[in-house]
Amino acid sequence: YTQAKALVYSKNGEPSDVLKLHTHAISPSIPSSSVLVRSLAAPINPADINTIQGTYGSKQPLTSLIGTSEPSAVPGTEGVFEVVSTGSPSSELKKGDWVIPAVSQIGTWRTHAVLGAHELLNVDKEGLTPTQVALVSVNPCTAYRILRSYGPSAGIKAALGMRPLDVGSGQWFIQNGANSGVGRAAIQFGRLWGLRSINVIRDRDTPEATDALKQELLALGADVVVTESHFLSREWKDQLAEITRNGREQIGLGLNCVGGKSATSLARSLGEGATMVSYGGMAKQPVALPLGLLIFKDIRFVGFWLSKWNQQDVTGRKHMIGDILGLVRAGQFRDVPVDEVKWDWDTEEAALRGAAQNGLKGFRQGKGVFVF
Ligand code: NDP
C-alpha cells in the first residue's frame, strides 16, 4: 500500500476554514486503465481558491473516492506528477514519465493519486524542472491563446470570424495585472511574436520596490510599464498620446485581469475597433464602460476562459504546451517568480492551509507552488 495525503474540502468557504489534510492508503492493485502517480509540484492559482470558495465558473464533484468521512474534493487544477506504476503493462505511460492533467480540476494538491491514463498528458521532461512543467498549463496557455486568437495573423483570424490586431500601423496591446503569471507570459509572447506591450502594475510600498518591479518586466520584454496610480490619473492621456504618436499607432488589444476602474481606463486607452479581452477579476469590482467607446469607437468586449477552450481544442492544447515547453527549454521563456511551499510527510495541515489562503493575496513576491 502507498500512504498518501491530500488536501480536501467538503463544503465551500475560505481555504483556511474548510481545507483538511486527509491521509489514506492506496491499494497496489489499480484498474487497468489507471496509473498511480506521485506529485512533484502543484501551483496555487487564484482559480483554485475561487473554486474552494464556490465562486468559480465550475464546481468540483464531491466524492468519497479517497475514503473521506464526508464527500469531498481535492483542489488544484495544475501540477506535474511522476508515474509510479501503471494498471496495465501495455499502458502508453511508463514508470518515471512526467504527466500533467489533461482535464481541469483533477485535484493536484495531494502527494499521490490514482488517475485515468486518459486524464493525463505525457510531457517530455528533458531539460525542465518540475516547477517549470507544473506552471505551464494555466498562465502561459492563457496568454498564448488570447494573443493568438485576438493578436496578429489577420488572415487566419478573418477566416475564423475573429478580429485581428491590425488596427492602425501599431501592434500594441495593453494589459493590467501585468506582473501576474498571465501578464508576464503575455509580455514574453508579445516580444517573441513582434507585439509591443503597455503594462500596468500596482504601486508597491516604496518607489524603489515599484521601480524594481518595473525593471523586472522591462527585462522580460515589456515596452512600457506604468503604475496604476499614473494610469488612473489625468496625465496618462498625454503619455498615451506620446506612446501612440498621437493615435497614429493605435492599441488594438486590451487584456483585463483586474476589473473595476483599472478596466475602464484600459478600455479608454484602446484604439478604434479594438478588442478588450477580460480573463480575470482580481479587484472583484464590476467594469463600467463609457457607452461612447461602444458607439463611436466600436470597441468589442469579450471574455476568455481557458477551461472551455481546452475542452474545445484538445489537439491544439497539446501543441501549445509542447511549443511553450520548447521555449522554456531553449531559455526563451522565463518562469514566474515562485514561493515554494515544501510539502513532505511531516508538513502540518495548518501550513498547507495557510499557503492556500495566501494565494489570493495582493503584492506577493511569487506564486505559491507546493513542492513535494
Ligand atoms: P497571479 O497570482 O500570478 O497574480 C495575481 C495578479 O493579480 C497580480 O498581478 C496582482 O497584482 C493582482 N492582484 C491581486 N489582488 C488584486 C487586487 N485586489 N486588485 C488588483 N489586482 C490585484 O495570478 P494569475 O496570473 O494566475 O491569475 C490572474 C487572474 O487571471 C486571476 O483572476 C485568474 O483567475 C485569472 N485567470 C483566468 C484564466 C481564464 O481562463 N480566464 C486562466 C488563468 C488565470 P499585485 O502584485 O499588485 O498584487
Side-chain angles (χ1 to χ4, degrees):
Y1 280 80
T2 304
Q3 295 300 314
K5 286 190 185 184
L7 278 172
V8 297
Y9 63 97
S10 54
K11 59 174 191 297
N12 292 125
E14 288 304 314
S16 54
D17 297 333
V18 299
L19 285 183
K20 289 190 188 122
L21 188 59
H22 171 71
T23 305
H24 61 117
I26 298 174
S27 154
S29 63
I30 50 176
S32 63
S33 59
S34 297
V35 290
L36 169 65
V37 295
R38 81 176 178 97
S39 303
L40 300 177
I44 302 166
N45 282 308
D48 299 322
I49 298 161
N50 295 147
T51 304
I52 299 167
Q53 291 169 328
T55 57
Y56 198 60
S58 59
K59 298 210 181 316
Q60 294 184 281
L62 303 181
T63 73
S64 301
L65 286 173
I66 57 169
T68 46
S69 53
E70 290 171 278
S72 306
V74 180
T77 207
E78 205 182 22
V80 60
F81 304 107
E82 184 184 59
V83 175
V84 175
S85 61
T86 59
S88 153
S90 59
S91 170
E92 279 184 15
L93 296 173
K94 298 281 168 274
K95 184 173 188 299
D97 281 353
W98 282 12
V99 290
I100 63 171
V103 295
S104 60
Q105 299 184 322
I106 202 170
T108 56
W109 295 3
R110 49 175 144 190
T111 60
H112 299 80
V114 175
L115 299 166
H118 67 281
E119 295 178 296
L120 299 166
L121 181 67
N122 199 351
V123 295
D124 174 6
K125 64 184 175 189
E126 186 61 39
L128 299 171
T129 66
T131 314
Q132 287 174 326
V133 177
L135 282 162
V136 74
S137 63
V138 174
N139 289 334
C141 288
T142 301
Y144 186 105
R145 201 27 63 197
I146 293 175
L147 291 182
R148 283 280 165 116
S149 301
Y150 299 97
S153 60
I156 303 168
K157 281 215 266 300
L160 293 171
M162 289 168 170
R163 292 213 130 198
L165 176 59
D166 58 356
V167 180
S169 58
Q171 298 268 299
W172 285 102
F173 72 93
I174 183 166
Q175 61 171 345
N176 55 22
N179 65 321
S180 68
V182 177
R184 286 171 191 261
I187 291 171
Q188 299 187 75
F189 292 133
R191 176 180 51 83
L192 287 165
W193 300 338
L195 293 170
R196 288 181 292 169
S197 60
I198 301 173
N199 299 278
V200 185
I201 54 167
R202 295 199 296 172
D203 305 71
R204 311 280 115 178
D205 305 350
T206 61
E208 292 75 27
T210 305
D211 196 53
L213 181 55
K214 264 190 194 176
Q215 294 307 325
E216 252 183 71
L217 300 191
L218 290 170
L220 288 179
D223 295 275
V224 178
V225 182
V226 286
T227 60
E228 191 175 76
S229 59
H230 182 67
F231 184 57
L232 299 178
S233 74
R234 288 176 181 279
E235 287 78 53
W236 170 241
K237 209 175 160 193
D238 295 335
Q239 196 191 341
L240 182 65
E242 230 172 81
I243 294 168
T244 59
R245 302 198 298 133
N246 276 326
R248 281 197 295 277
E249 293 177 11
Q250 297 213 345
I251 299 167
L253 178 65
L255 269 55
N256 173 32
C257 165
V258 174
K261 284 187 184 145
S262 170
T264 306
S265 188
L266 199 74
R268 285 189 200 277
S269 307
L270 297 175
E272 187 164 340
T275 303
M276 179 156 130
V277 184
S278 290
Y279 68 89
M282 290 305 297
K284 296 196 170 65
Q285 296 294 323
V287 182
L289 297 173
L291 279 175
L293 295 181
L294 293 160
I295 300 169
F296 305 121
K297 279 179 126 185
D298 191 22
I299 290 174
R300 307 282 160 108
F301 295 91
V302 300
F304 175 84
W305 193 19
L306 186 68
S307 310
K308 189 54 106 3
W309 187 88
N310 284 343
Q311 281 168 9
Q312 287 169 349
D313 189 356
V314 173
T315 315
R317 176 174 188 258
K318 251 188 222 173
H319 286 304
M320 169 169 70
I321 286 172
D323 195 7
I324 299 171
L325 288 180
L327 292 171
V328 176
R329 211 175 270 124
Q332 290 183 289
F333 186 90
R334 257 187 267 163
D335 313 344
V336 286
V338 298
D339 174 10
E340 289 193 356
V341 181
K342 188 86 194 113
W343 179 341
D344 56 32
W345 193 258
D346 299 323
T347 307
E348 297 198 358
E349 181 183 86
L352 298 173
R353 280 175 161 195
Q357 186 68 40
N358 278 340
L360 263 192
K361 280 209 183 117
F363 306 108
R364 286 180 56 111
Q365 295 295 335
K367 184 178 283 284
V369 181
F370 293 121
V371 178
F372 300 85

